Amino acid sequence: VDLEVLEQLGEEFQEEIDKLTKEIYHLAGEEFNINSPKQMGVVLFDKLDLPVIKRTKTGYSTDAEVLDRLKGEHEIVENILKYRQMVKLKSTYIDGLINVVDKETCKIHSSFNQTVTNTGRISSTDPNLQNIPIKTEEGRKIRKAFVPQSDEYILVDGDYSQIELRVLAHISKDPKLMEAFYHNEDIHTKTASQVFNLPKEEVTPLMRNRAKAVNFGIVYGISDYGLSRDLNISRKEAKEYIDNYLKNYNMVDEYMKEIVRLGKEKGYVETILNRKRYVPELKSRNYNVRSFGERIAMNTPIQGSAADIIKIAMVKVYEELNKRNLKSKLILQVHDELLIETYKEEEEEVKRIIVDIMENSITLDVPLKVDLKVGDNWHDTI
């Protein structure tokens, strides 16, 4: 870890926090403790008269969901959301990472746990390296601090392309979904053209984005309420998207119903490699608990199989690098990607190993595809 980069980012983030603090005070017309939900509730709902969304035992709720729904009501809301994001980045990722860097080696040693997540994915703690933000530009900047051990090395990143959707195509045997992956089509554009009933050429970026949310939402057993919140659209519109999707990919619809039925019958569901997850929630009398169980039943074979596949690939890549006595080392696994600290002279060999092993670690009815990126730091491999 390059401590200079982290410290410089820390200063940059603090400047932004100070600027946002001034702006929030100006918009509120007074100074108050932005980190106090109680004081913020008074400012937002008593002083600025914004609509009350949710109450707590001690007053108004100002949690992320409430602020999200208040976007557009007043300029102060966007600033508070941005302020919270910057404070979290600085305290958790800048200050937090600086504290766990080994002062002698300048390395970070995370712990990886095999049996913590229910999905079967490996998890990382002290620090959690799998949680380093990627959705915002500020969050992504933090990855610039992660660098190879010396100038003789670079980072090579192998990332499975849409592995969960490929697993879904394999499990459901849906011909339209399988065909898209066989012909290397952009699955989100294809889904958009099906859901909106338009030729692919007429699909706009917004439509593709919405189709992407539906594609991944289906994998997680999303409801019309969940999708409407994610996309900021009405529940009616969200329901239409989901219904159109399931009408077009009708084998996916059948798979979802069948896996829930099987889960209720057996008490568990399985991944492709027969790893079981018990779902007692499916038998609950409580509707919300039962619905949660149904989402687990739909999602586990997909997400759990993706977790199994990356683990197999990870072990095989590690073994192959050792077998060939390479200086390159596997240093991190994050969800669907493997990060290799690669000795520069071994770059081409390492790339071949990654692609060959990741794409062939298991045989599915659709091809697995890996995207390779190379960089002098982790940010450049995104």
Side-chain angles (χ1 to χ4, degrees):
V1 172
D2 189 330
L3 278 169
E4 267 181 41
V5 172
L6 277 183
E7 282 157 5
Q8 195 183 332
L9 278 174
E11 285 168 25
E12 213 178 284
F13 289 178
Q14 190 56 53
E15 272 175 36
E16 180 68 15
I17 290 165
D18 295 343
K19 202 170 93 185
L20 286 162
T21 303
K22 278 185 192 154
E23 184 62 18
I24 289 165
Y25 290 163
H26 168 69
L27 291 166
E30 63 175 273
E31 290 192 11
F32 66 100
N33 181 356
I34 303 171
N35 300 318
S36 157
K38 197 168 183 191
Q39 289 185 34
M40 188 187 289
V42 171
V43 168
L44 294 181
F45 304 111
D46 291 342
K47 188 171 182 189
L48 298 175
D49 210 21
L50 296 181
V52 177
I53 308 278
K54 205 162 68 176
R55 288 181 187 273
T56 63
K57 284 175 189 165
T58 53
Y60 306 108
S61 169
T62 58
D63 66 16
E65 192 184 336
V66 167
L67 291 182
D68 251 0
R69 285 172 65 183
L70 287 172
K71 271 186 197 166
E73 295 279 347
H74 194 289
E75 207 183 325
I76 197 169
V77 177
E78 301 273 357
N79 282 284
I80 292 167
L81 282 166
K82 183 81 172 151
Y83 169 89
R84 281 186 179 173
Q85 184 200 330
M86 295 309 297
V87 166
K88 182 170 183 196
L89 285 178
K90 177 153 193 318
S91 63
T92 307
Y93 298 107
I94 302 293
D95 305 343
L97 288 171
I98 288 172
N99 288 335
V100 292
V101 172
D102 183 302
K103 297 294 175 276
E104 282 177 27
T105 63
C106 263
K107 288 187 177 185
I108 274 183
H109 301 277
S110 175
S111 295
F112 293 89
N113 314 295
Q114 278 266 40
T115 53
V116 169
T117 66
N118 288 322
T119 54
R121 287 192 180 281
I122 284 179
S123 65
S124 156
T125 48
D126 302 321
N128 183 349
L129 292 176
Q130 301 183 327
N131 229 7
I132 291 178
I134 195 162
K135 286 184 178 168
T136 63
E137 184 45 49
E138 288 87 3
R140 283 197 290 271
K141 279 182 185 172
I142 293 164
R143 293 174 180 234
K144 288 184 177 175
F146 290 84
V147 294
Q149 58 178 302
S150 74
D151 290 344
E152 295 182 315
Y153 289 81
I154 46 162
L155 296 177
V156 177
D157 182 289
D159 188 359
Y160 275 122
S161 163
Q162 297 160 341
I163 187 167
E164 288 176 352
L165 294 175
R166 289 169 192 268
V167 169
L168 176 61
H170 169 83
I171 293 177
S172 68
K173 305 282 184 273
D174 187 277
K176 286 184 184 169
L177 208 49
M178 290 171 79
E179 186 190 2
F181 289 123
Y182 269 121
H183 296 142
N184 217 358
E185 292 177 65
D186 176 355
I187 190 68
H188 304 313
T189 302
K190 183 178 173 112
T191 298
S193 91
Q194 310 262 9
V195 169
F196 297 109
N197 202 10
L198 282 169
K200 282 186 213 154
E201 308 72 64
E202 290 177 33
V203 169
T204 65
L206 177 69
M207 287 173 179
R208 184 187 181 276
N209 225 18
R210 290 190 166 175
K212 185 176 179 178
V214 178
N215 270 332
F216 287 114
I218 292 290
V219 169
Y220 290 93
I222 203 164
S223 63
D224 51 10
Y225 170 70
L227 187 65
S228 72
R229 221 178 47 194
D230 288 355
L231 291 177
N232 214 354
I233 56 176
S234 70
R235 276 183 81 165
K236 183 172 174 280
E237 200 176 340
K239 188 176 182 322
E240 273 175 30
Y241 289 174
I242 292 171
D243 289 348
N244 280 351
Y245 177 98
L246 294 173
K247 207 160 60 192
N248 265 296
Y249 299 115
N250 60 323
M251 297 284 280
V252 172
D253 193 21
E254 279 180 33
Y255 155 72
M256 297 293 187
K257 288 171 183 158
E258 178 63 8
I259 198 71
V260 169
R261 189 191 68 72
L262 274 174
K264 280 180 182 162
E265 186 187 296
K266 294 178 171 178
Y268 62 83
V269 290
E270 290 179 288
T271 66
I272 293 170
L273 293 156
N274 307 111
R275 188 163 49 79
K276 292 176 184 171
R277 177 172 178 186
Y278 287 85
V279 195
E281 293 90 344
L282 285 171
K283 294 212 165 79
S284 171
R285 287 185 180 160
N286 179 310
Y287 172 78
N288 288 338
V289 174
R290 206 167 56 248
S291 298
F292 173 64
E294 288 176 3
R295 287 199 297 278
I296 290 174
M298 291 174 197
N299 172 248
T300 295
I302 301 162
Q303 212 188 350
S305 296
D308 293 349
I309 292 167
I310 189 88
K311 279 184 178 176
I312 290 170
M314 181 176 77
V315 171
K316 286 184 173 175
V317 166
Y318 168 79
E319 285 172 348
E320 191 60 28
L321 295 174
N322 279 353
K323 196 172 94 184
R324 297 187 186 205
N325 283 327
L326 298 181
K327 290 183 178 177
S328 305
K329 292 253 185 312
L330 172 63
I331 53 170
L332 189 59
Q333 185 246 70
V334 178
H335 308 314
D336 303 326
E337 60 185 87
L338 298 179
L339 195 64
I340 315 280
E341 184 179 56
T342 304
Y343 188 57
K344 282 179 178 171
E345 288 175 22
E346 296 168 356
E347 183 186 335
E348 291 313 311
E349 192 176 355
V350 167
K351 282 180 179 169
R352 280 196 300 275
I353 290 170
I354 294 173
V355 173
D356 182 45
I357 289 175
M358 287 179 78
E359 290 187 351
N360 299 297
S361 56
I362 185 172
T363 306
L364 299 182
D365 291 342
V366 292
L368 284 173
K369 189 165 178 290
V370 172
D371 296 323
L372 277 184
K373 298 267 175 59
V374 178
D376 291 325
N377 58 59
W378 193 11
H379 174 275
D380 294 349
T381 68
I382 297 172

